[in-house]
Amino acid sequence: MSIRSLCGKVVKVIRRARTAIVISTAALGLAACNVTAIPGAGGGAGAAGVAGDGPTRVALLVPYGSSRGTDAGIAQSLENAARLAANDLGANTVSLQVYPTQGTPAGASAAVAQALEGGAQVILGPLYADNAAAAGVAASGSGVPVLSFSNNTAIAGGNVWVMGNTFENTARRVLSFAASQGRNRVLVTHNSGETGQIANAAIINAARGTGAQITGSVPYDLSQEGIVAAVPAIEAQATSSSSNAVFLTGNTSGDLPVIAQLLSEAGVGGEDFRYLGLTRWDIPAEALALPGLQGGYFALPSPGPLQQFRGRYQSTFGSSPHPLAGLAFDGMAAVGAISRRGGVVNRASLTSSAGFAGTGGIFRLRGDGTIDRALAVAQIVNRQAQVVSPAPNSFRGAGS
């Protein structure tokens, strides 16, 4: 059965919970789409920086002209957020020029060429991972860093950074908190496709140093039959390995409601096996009512800064920002913080261990092109998300 049929099962599960959730594309996963990296991206030292007089020249690459119906709205929201940050910094700190990418690798390459010809010192964007890889190749040798809106670590490194929150960053935060609560033996469940395998690998890598031990991984086909067939194996593995937590890697618009419901009905859940989430369980908010997720932990940005950003965006542009818009604001804010100090935007300044203030709290860019974002941990209690561990307000240790 296809994932489309699986969504039908999701609707039935949600209706049993007396909740109506609209099944839609997982907006927060858009930056991970088109994951094929282009050879040559992310190699070498990269991003030496380009000095210049006057404001730092930032090229914003967004998917205007894309054949995808939703890309125009995303592009506008990214541009709005970048301009909001630029206005905060003042006219003499940064200058912003927007370049359309058509949402394709070829379009991203062409946009970078135009931006470099125009004297760009920083590339902000593009959105999709294959676009970002192509942009990295086009900018290689120029010394200009690329702060992409992707969260796919496969394209990170060299002159390319990912601004999107990564699976590994989320998993590290959730595992650390779970271990501190005695939930330190964790079984991972994931779909058998590429995204599921990436998620599983990220959780295993993230477990090091968190105090949590991964007791095993059980894959399932991304279909109703696949999940049903996998439940006995998950139950057997959870019991035989003495696990006390189960990491669910699905999202609310796909497999998560189904697997959480079926596992909890099979006795794998609740107090005996605490559920841990790799994705946002509060989007849409109706998902918080799913009975299978009650008591589970998931990570989210610091609510205070995020609400402030959304409020300012709404009052300025008369609409709500796209969930990815904050990435553009954060990238511009980081560039502005460096520029205000009179520095050149390069590898050394971008990977400062202190990090930067962003729309979801503090973040820092790492030497390998990935990102650390300070996240809060929430628990679902009485169909509401309660923050049980606030996001830290400072980083400890080196940033790279």
Side-chain angles (χ1 to χ4, degrees):
M1 183 176 293
S2 67
I3 188 62
R4 189 172 298 175
S5 300
L6 175 62
C7 286
K9 173 66 175 176
V10 171
V11 172
K12 292 178 182 178
V13 170
I14 293 167
R15 283 174 179 167
R16 284 209 303 267
R18 298 182 180 179
T19 305
I21 294 180
V22 178
I23 302 301
S24 62
T25 301
L28 294 180
L30 284 173
C33 295
N34 298 335
V35 298
T36 303
I38 294 177
V50 176
D53 297 327
T56 300
R57 294 182 292 278
V58 180
L60 177 67
L61 274 58
V62 288
Y64 286 126
S66 171
S67 61
R68 300 180 186 88
T70 58
D71 276 3
I74 298 173
Q76 186 64 67
S77 197
L78 289 166
E79 179 183 348
N80 288 347
R83 293 197 182 281
L84 188 63
N87 289 339
D88 289 347
L89 297 167
N92 295 323
T93 304
V94 297
S95 65
L96 179 65
Q97 182 67 41
V98 179
Y99 296 87
T101 66
Q102 291 79 49
T104 66
S109 294
V112 170
Q114 295 174 21
L116 294 178
E117 186 176 352
Q121 296 166 276
V122 183
I123 304 294
L124 186 55
L127 176 60
Y128 296 104
D130 57 358
N131 288 212
V137 172
S140 63
S142 68
V144 174
V146 177
L147 306 183
S148 79
F149 301 138
S150 174
N151 64 353
N152 187 342
T153 58
I155 56 95
N159 62 331
V160 180
W161 279 265
V162 293
M163 293 294 297
N165 189 39
T166 66
F167 283 160
E168 189 164 338
N169 186 70
T170 298
R172 186 182 304 114
R173 179 69 169 106
V174 174
L175 287 170
S176 295
F177 177 77
S180 74
Q181 303 301 300
R183 304 291 178 164
N184 59 345
R185 295 185 58 78
V186 183
L187 178 66
V188 182
T189 68
H190 63 93
N191 75 69
S192 55
E194 183 180 18
T195 301
Q197 294 176 33
I198 292 172
N200 180 53
I203 293 170
I204 292 172
N205 289 335
R208 302 186 183 98
T210 64
Q213 179 183 350
I214 303 302
T215 60
S217 300
V218 182
Y220 54 84
D221 290 338
L222 193 55
S223 65
Q224 178 179 339
E225 289 87 351
I227 294 176
V228 170
V231 167
I234 296 171
E235 179 184 10
Q237 179 74 4
T239 302
S240 65
S241 63
S242 300
S243 299
N244 53 29
V246 177
F247 221 129
L248 305 178
T249 57
N251 60 63
T252 58
S253 63
D255 47 334
L256 177 64
V258 177
I259 192 167
Q261 181 75 15
L262 294 181
L263 284 179
S264 62
E265 289 176 353
V268 184
E271 286 301 312
D272 292 333
F273 303 95
R274 176 77 74 223
Y275 288 161
L276 313 179
L278 192 62
T279 61
R280 292 283 297 276
W281 289 357
D282 57 335
I283 299 176
E286 291 85 357
L288 295 171
L290 288 167
L293 297 182
Q294 301 306 303
Y297 301 137
F298 69 98
L300 72 168
S302 183
L306 188 59
Q307 290 172 4
Q308 184 180 28
F309 165 69
R310 288 173 175 168
R312 293 188 56 223
Y313 186 104
Q314 177 77 40
S315 64
T316 302
F317 301 106
S319 62
S320 298
H322 187 276
L324 296 174
L327 302 179
F329 187 99
D330 290 355
M332 186 64 76
V335 171
I338 295 169
S339 301
R340 274 181 166 174
R341 297 193 295 263
V344 176
V345 182
N346 57 20
R347 170 173 294 277
S349 59
L350 286 169
T351 58
S352 166
S353 61
F356 307 94
T359 55
I362 60 171
F363 67 93
R364 62 182 177 184
L365 299 171
R366 300 175 64 88
D368 61 1
T370 61
I371 191 168
D372 285 335
R373 286 187 174 273
L375 300 173
V377 176
Q379 182 176 28
I380 300 182
V381 179
N382 296 326
R383 302 185 178 188
Q384 295 183 343
Q386 296 183 4
V387 173
V388 290
S389 179
N393 54 21
S394 65
F395 287 112
R396 296 179 180 177
S400 58

